Every structure is written in structure tokens, then in C-alpha cells.
Amino acid sequence: MKTLLKNIPYSVLDLATVIEGKTPADTFKNSLDLAQHVEAWGYNRYWLAEHHNMISVASSATAVVIGHIAGGTKTIRVGSGGIMLPNHSPLIIAEQFGTLASLYPGRIDLGLGRAPGTDQVTAAAIRGDLRFQAAQDFPREVIKLQTYLSAENSRAQVRAIPGEGLDIPIWILGSSTDSARLAAAMGLPYAFASHFAPAQFMTAINIYRQNFKPSVHLSKPYVLSCVNVVAADTDAEANRLVTSLYQLFLGIVTGKRKLLQPPVDDMNEVWDVYEEEQANQMLACTFVGSKETLKTDLQLFLDQTGVDELMVTSHIFDHQARLRSYQLLAEVFKG
């Protein structure tokens, strides 16, 4: 039976992007404003991601920003998409998210990733040589975290206070098939980073579904896909706004990262054919246009993938245009 857009949850991934001419303080103000708006528009959750040493991403202290967003909203779920677990002791994450879940009960999600969310030099500055072992031991580190959050840990010598006994949903995040196998084996929900790493998306979610083992956390597979969306009142305006996203990915391709740039009239004056091809490979799961265009394209994506939830990230230079994009998208999902 065909699943319609109006029947699935829709959510936000905010990469806390710093735009040209602004500061991280401006970013946090805009993020809270966006969160309050999307809460009113029916979005299900609002996630932030851990990155380090990136001038255009302000969410390095992810748990702190999650607290800021949760404190300024009332009902929307707020969480991490994700916490890069090899950067941290599982006990510290259990305490941080235990604190958040105590402050905002029933609203906190904990998505976990295996990558460092940065370059190797910065990863070494975060956790030294421990990062290698932590990345290799990622499955065991997730189990340690689950143990600290469990009520059964009350007799242990080391306890997470707050955190112990709290119901904090844990997600496995990924951009490869390794993460799919782990999420399936542990019976946890799976969130795929198709907004920048679409190459293994279909293979990974098929592996996850085929190998899923029901757990106390989840009875059947649950796939969340993150995609890029830029919506506007017309296709032409959306196609202009999305050039800020293209410039961001040009910086990733060339290694010359910048703050989020204003849109341009002609990307052919900014990148060459080779750079465009590389960027477009990473941006295969990007949807741009008016409500009518997006309704058709996103429904086709849902038909092809069968995902259970769509999470949207939108790199748009002007804050009001970004708000308008999320408002239009909510109308698409509501039918």
C-alpha cells in the first residue's frame, strides 16, 4: 500500500550554519526562532549535529545548544543528529542527556555517530589517542551508554546521575553500511545522512531492514532519511536560493570552506564542471522548488525508499526565506 507524504512525520536537522556577515550568536538566535516556528507548523523533531573546527557550523557544544532549543520550545522533540560518541566518554554523554531529559522530559533524542565530525588533527585535540580505540569499539561504547542509562545500573560502582533509568531514545546515525548492520543488530532506529552521503543510502537501509532484530526499544525497523530541501513560492526563486547550498558544498569539494554565502544568479561563474559534478554527487538527495514541484518529487522519493520519517536541512542565506521554506514544506506534508 502506498504511503503518502501526509502520513509520515517530518523533522528538522539544523546544522547551526553561520552565514557571511554574522556570528554564532546570530545563528543561535535564528535557530531558536526557527524551532519555535516549525513546532507550530507540526514538525516532529529538531536535531542538531556535532561538528568541530568548521567555521560555518556553530553546534560544536551540541548538548548546550539542544538545551537552548528545548528551553525555548514546548512540545517538539529536540536531540542530536548526532553526538559523535568516539569524541566522548559514554558516562559524560549519559550525564549530559540525562540532565536534558530531566529538564525536558519526554522530548530528548540521542542520535549517535561513529565519525569524529571533524578532521584528524582536531579529533586528536579532542580525545587524543583514545579516539582510535573508541571508534573501533563503537558498538561496545553504545552498550556502555545504554547501561549507564538503564535502571539496572543502580547497583553499579559507576552511575550516571542524572540519566539512570530515564527513557531516552537512542538512534544510530550513519552514512555507510557498517552503521546499518549495527542499528539492525541492536534493534535501534536508524537515521541516514543522505543529505551529504547518498551513495550507499539504498544499500544501507536495505541491509538494516533485512537484518533487523526486534528489541525492547523497537519492534520493527524504523528508517529516518535526512535530505536537503529549498522551497520557495516559485521554482525560479528556489533555484536561486539553493545556490548558497551549492557554494557550501563547493567549499567541501575544494577544501576552501567559507561561511554560508548569499545566493548568486549563475553558479557557472562560481564553479567549474568538475567541481559541479563532485558536489552534485553529494547532493543527490536534494529537492528544490515550489510546493507543487516538491510534492511530486518528495512523494517519488518516498515511493522509492519507503522511509518512515523525513528530516530536512535547509541551507538558506536569508532567515526569512528559510522560515518560508519550512512553512511551505509543512504545507506539502499536510497535503
Side-chain angles (χ1 to χ4, degrees):
M1 184 177 176
K2 181 174 179 176
T3 302
L4 300 176
L5 284 173
K6 66 180 181 180
N7 293 329
I8 69 165
Y10 50 102
S11 297
V12 174
L13 175 66
D14 180 7
L15 291 170
T17 307
V18 186
I19 67 174
E20 185 67 46
K22 300 294 184 180
T23 68
D26 298 312
T27 296
F28 299 141
K29 180 181 177 182
N30 286 342
S31 289
L32 181 56
D33 186 52
L34 174 62
Q36 291 168 341
H37 277 87
V38 298
E39 179 176 67
W41 294 330
Y43 284 79
N44 187 39
R45 53 185 108 238
Y46 193 104
W47 282 4
L48 295 128
E50 177 185 350
H51 292 83
H52 301 278
N53 198 28
M54 296 182 185
I55 62 169
S56 63
V57 183
S59 51
S60 53
T62 318
V64 178
V65 187
I66 289 171
H68 173 61
I69 298 299
T73 52
K74 296 183 175 68
T75 57
I76 195 168
R77 298 194 66 88
V78 188
S80 62
I83 291 292
M84 302 298 110
L85 192 55
N87 293 343
H88 310 277
S89 151
L91 175 61
I92 296 300
I93 297 304
E95 292 171 340
Q96 288 180 355
F97 278 76
T99 301
L100 288 167
S102 298
L103 289 166
Y104 312 107
R107 294 182 55 206
I108 300 299
D109 295 329
L110 176 49
L112 301 172
R114 185 199 302 260
T118 189
D119 58 88
Q120 290 303 316
V121 175
T122 307
I126 293 170
R127 213 176 175 200
D129 291 339
L130 285 174
R131 72 191 188 281
F132 295 115
Q133 182 178 346
Q136 292 170 354
D137 291 347
F138 181 64
R140 283 192 286 271
E141 296 284 280
V142 175
I143 292 170
K144 279 184 189 177
L145 178 53
Q146 288 180 316
T147 301
Y148 286 131
L149 292 174
S150 69
E152 293 74 25
N153 201 55
S154 61
R155 294 186 180 88
Q157 188 173 2
V158 179
R159 300 169 63 189
I161 309 295
E164 187 178 283
L166 297 182
D167 182 20
I168 304 173
I170 290 179
W171 294 65
I172 299 297
L173 275 58
S175 57
S176 71
T177 55
D178 289 345
S179 55
R181 295 184 190 281
L182 177 62
M186 299 187 76
L188 293 173
Y190 184 44
F192 196 91
S194 33
H195 61 297
F196 74 89
Q200 297 189 64
F201 173 49
M202 290 304 299
T203 302
I205 63 174
N206 286 333
I207 287 172
Y208 169 69
R209 288 167 173 153
Q210 291 164 8
N211 294 278
F212 182 84
K213 295 179 180 178
S215 69
V216 295
H217 311 288
L218 198 62
S219 60
K220 60 181 182 179
Y222 192 95
V223 174
L224 179 153
S225 170
C226 187
V227 298
N228 301 290
V229 173
V230 174
D233 290 297
T234 66
D235 287 348
E237 177 61 13
N239 282 314
R240 184 174 184 277
L241 293 175
V242 78
T243 58
S244 295
L245 173 66
Y246 294 158
Q247 291 175 80
L248 189 71
F249 272 73
L250 174 62
I252 296 172
V253 167
T254 61
K256 300 174 183 176
R257 295 177 183 268
K258 297 180 180 180
L259 301 181
L260 188 67
Q261 298 295 301
V264 296
D265 293 326
D266 187 1
M267 274 302 295
N268 291 323
E269 296 178 359
V270 181
W271 61 16
D272 61 34
V273 175
Y274 175 72
E275 292 164 341
E276 179 182 7
E277 182 179 347
Q278 278 194 299
N280 283 335
Q281 286 176 358
M282 301 172 71
L283 291 168
C285 293
T286 299
F287 303 90
V288 183
S290 63
K291 281 171 52 177
E292 292 73 20
T293 299
L294 290 176
K295 187 168 188 178
T296 300
D297 292 348
L298 286 170
Q299 183 63 59
L300 179 59
F301 179 80
L302 183 58
D303 294 343
Q304 292 170 339
T305 64
V307 297
D308 301 286
E309 183 168 347
L310 273 173
M311 180 167 276
V312 171
T313 186
S314 299
H315 293 281
I316 297 173
F317 184 81
D318 178 75
H319 181 60
Q320 294 304 315
R322 188 178 181 216
L323 290 177
R324 180 61 175 157
S325 179
Y326 278 108
Q327 181 183 20
L328 290 169
L329 185 61
E331 293 171 7
V332 168
F333 278 98
K334 291 173 181 176

